[in-house]
Amino acid sequence: MAIQSSKATFPGGVHPPENKQLSEHGGIEPVSPPKLMAILLSQHLGAPCQPVVAKRDTVQAGQMIGKSDAFVSAPVHSPVSGTVKDIALQSHPVVGRTTAILIETDPDSAAESKPPFDRFDSGFSAEPYSVEQICKAVHDGGLVGMGGAGFPTRVKIEPNPAMPKEILLINGCECEPFITCDYRLMLEGTWQVLAGIRLAAKACGVDRVRIGIEDNKPQAVSVMTEAAASVKDLDIQVVAIKTKYPQGGERQLIRSLLGKTVPTGKIPPTIGVCVLNVATCAAIAEAVVLNKPLTHRVTTVTGQAIAKPGNYYVPVGMTVGDLIEHCGGLTEQAAKVVMGGPMMGFAVADLTTPLTKTSGAVTVLTQEDVTRAKHQKQQTPCIRCGRCLTACPEGLNPTKIAHAVKYNRMDLAERYYMSACIECGCCSYVCPANIEITGYIKTGKILVARAKKRMQA
Ligand code: SF4
Ligand code: SF4
């Protein structure tokens, strides 16, 4: 079968060492839930959920335990049957601490769940499902963008007369180094992913679909191309695109696949595009066809300092520590645990931090990695080389924004379009003066958001 390749790409970006070999050959393994689960009430963009269960309540696997009436939000569900032990603050991978529902797993519910790949095949049709049914199942199932952004999926796919969609783009890039969960999902859950794509296309009201996969994953390109060829009611094509970070960023993927630019400050639907990650598509199929909420996901556990790197089907709410223990524990070289990959991930000091719906990876760095990073962090003054400008995929001037933040000139930082920064880390990666440019920008955004909140109060 001829594979479509595109030489088109986005400006800027970098190509860090891929390091996918540690886990790319490991098939997806189910993981048994631990004795205690911690399901965070804020795992998405938008309003956090409020608990709908109380301490000492009995819950069933798949039961909704938190929800919000806000339009931009997504309910959370228990992956296990058990008893609510507490509702308390728990470490959160991004926002510090937030409320979680702690559930003691019933011993009868302690069996591992397997991904339902064998429930889908080439005979799937989206015909029996109405648009309303699809959107309701996606909302009720608590689906959010699983590539990392965590935007509620229902809001993305449901019909919106003000912003009609023309094309659906599927993100199978997985451009962040080390991570291989989406790659394995495309190989092992091909028909489930494709079923989700067909349901999403129906909800979006589009008949054109493009699946972008980086050309360092030829096997995934091949299986997805073969599967897509069986679909007759959609114009669906798999496109192998250049391996470059951050190729999987929504705006970068649109540029590479369609040659279009999403205007600064706008979102893809304003130019008629909906972008979904392959894991989100698999979850759509599960929610709509099997009536199963988002309680499990595939997560890569990787790095030189983990005993058994691989790809695992984990219950959302399992702690990082429990997952690491399941993977044989840390080796003596372990020095830092990162949720996510090395470019956009967050270092976690507290291993009781639970995995969320967006946790695609846990990367364990070695002492050697950290020593190298420490060395990199010995900053020198900016030498005005301009490398950060060339690397920025959003066409920003990172050094000017960072300087504005450093000197507390948020007005200037805003004028340099700080809010358009996608926090990809390319500028920091290329900076020969080892300036933590992205760190400054992240801090600046937090300070601006806090100031806005204070003004609204
Ligand atoms: S300024 Fe933002 S978008 Fe540009 S390279 Fe730096 S982190 Fe990425
Ligand atoms: S890459 Fe670093 S040294 Fe070069 S201009 Fe940007 S901030 Fe300055």
Side-chain angles (χ1 to χ4, degrees):
M1 173 151 311
I3 288 176
Q4 199 185 335
S5 294
S6 168
K7 293 211 184 327
T9 187
F10 61 91
V14 294
H15 191 167
E18 293 170 19
N19 285 315
K20 306 249 183 196
Q21 73 287 351
L22 286 169
S23 59
E24 69 185 341
H25 302 298
I28 298 166
E29 285 181 26
V31 174
S32 304
K35 282 190 188 134
L36 188 66
M37 302 287 300
I39 295 99
L40 294 169
L41 289 173
S42 184
Q43 304 190 29
H44 49 267
L45 282 183
C49 294
Q50 298 302 317
V52 293
V53 290
K55 204 169 161 179
R56 287 187 284 281
D57 277 1
T58 301
V59 295
Q60 300 301 316
Q63 183 181 327
M64 186 196 290
I65 55 173
K67 67 169 188 170
S68 163
D69 292 333
F71 179 64
V72 181
S73 189
V76 293
H77 303 76
S78 174
V80 293
S81 297
T83 308
V84 177
K85 193 174 172 233
D86 206 352
I87 299 175
L89 284 179
Q90 185 83 13
S91 176
H92 187 286
V94 183
V95 300
R97 282 173 88 71
T98 187
T99 310
I101 298 180
L102 308 182
I103 297 176
E104 220 159 38
T105 306
D106 188 335
D108 295 341
S109 183
E112 59 196 25
S113 290
K114 290 189 180 132
F117 299 151
D118 57 0
R119 303 283 301 274
F120 298 89
D121 58 28
S122 58
F124 177 81
S125 166
E127 179 82 38
Y129 307 96
S130 70
V131 171
E132 293 72 26
Q133 261 177 310
I134 297 168
C135 294
K136 185 174 184 322
V138 164
H139 172 262
D140 294 351
L143 269 61
V144 303
M146 293 168 74
F151 193 78
T153 307
R154 188 270 310 252
V155 181
K156 266 191 169 183
I157 63 171
E158 73 180 358
N160 178 354
M163 280 188 266
K165 301 168 194 80
E166 292 164 14
I167 189 165
L168 173 63
L169 300 189
I170 304 300
N171 188 352
C173 291
E174 199 155 60
C175 57
E176 174 100 18
F178 284 97
I179 308 178
T180 56
C181 56
D182 286 352
Y183 172 64
R184 292 306 314 183
L185 190 56
M186 286 187 279
L187 293 190
E188 297 176 51
T190 315
W191 294 113
Q192 185 179 332
V193 171
L194 196 64
I197 292 171
R198 297 175 75 177
L199 290 163
K202 184 164 184 180
C204 289
V206 301
D207 54 15
R208 273 200 311 147
V209 180
R210 297 291 177 267
I211 305 171
I213 303 175
E214 282 189 327
D215 56 13
N216 63 349
K217 302 173 190 68
Q219 215 185 330
V221 173
S222 173
V223 294
M224 290 301 296
T225 303
E226 208 165 304
S230 70
V231 179
K232 303 297 175 210
D233 56 347
L234 284 174
D235 166 14
I236 177 166
Q237 286 172 23
V238 178
V239 185
I241 44 180
K242 187 175 172 172
T243 300
K244 185 169 76 159
Y245 176 84
Q247 188 69 263
E250 267 193 354
R251 301 164 63 87
Q252 287 63 44
L253 188 65
I254 291 169
R255 181 72 184 253
S256 295
L257 287 177
L258 305 177
K260 288 185 177 176
T261 302
V262 183
T264 302
K266 302 282 184 200
I267 52 175
T270 56
I271 59 164
V273 183
C274 177
V275 184
L276 295 175
N277 168 270
V278 286
T280 311
C281 293
I284 290 174
E286 235 171 295
V288 177
V289 181
L290 307 179
N291 197 24
K292 191 176 175 301
L294 178 48
T295 56
H296 290 71
R297 67 155 298 144
V298 183
T299 298
T300 303
V301 184
T302 185
Q304 299 285 357
I306 187 87
K308 203 172 152 240
N311 300 287
Y312 298 91
Y313 190 62
V314 296
V316 169
M318 183 175 196
T319 67
V320 173
D322 283 335
L323 181 57
I324 286 174
E325 200 182 309
H326 176 88
C327 300
L330 304 172
T331 67
E332 278 178 11
Q333 290 80 30
K336 194 184 241 183
V337 177
V338 176
M339 278 185 91
M343 297 299 283
M344 290 189 84
F346 296 85
V348 283
D350 181 355
L351 294 187
T352 66
T353 305
L355 296 156
T356 70
K357 298 171 187 177
T358 61
S359 301
V362 173
T363 309
V364 185
L365 302 175
T366 62
Q367 193 58 53
E368 200 187 328
D369 295 328
V370 173
T371 309
R372 208 180 306 135
K374 267 188 189 156
H375 167 70
Q376 283 172 356
K377 279 185 180 150
Q378 286 169 0
Q379 285 185 22
T380 56
C382 171
I383 57 169
R384 305 207 180 282
C385 65
R387 284 186 208 174
C388 55
L389 278 83
T390 312
C392 180
E394 286 298 322
L396 304 174
N397 187 329
T399 182
K400 278 196 166 173
I401 304 173
H403 270 81
V405 173
K406 187 175 176 184
Y407 294 104
N408 204 20
R409 289 292 309 274
M410 299 307 157
D411 56 327
L412 262 187
E414 294 256 74
R415 224 177 298 155
Y416 295 135
Y417 301 100
M418 178 171 69
S419 58
C421 166
I422 58 168
E423 301 178 13
C424 64
C426 290
C427 49
S428 302
Y429 182 79
V430 297
C431 178
N434 306 318
I435 298 170
E436 248 310 312
I437 309 169
T438 317
Y440 280 115
I441 298 175
K442 281 183 183 176
T443 306
K445 283 175 155 189
I446 292 169
L447 293 176
V448 168
R450 279 189 195 155
K452 280 187 184 152
K453 219 172 175 180
R454 270 200 305 274
M455 280 169 71
Q456 283 162 3

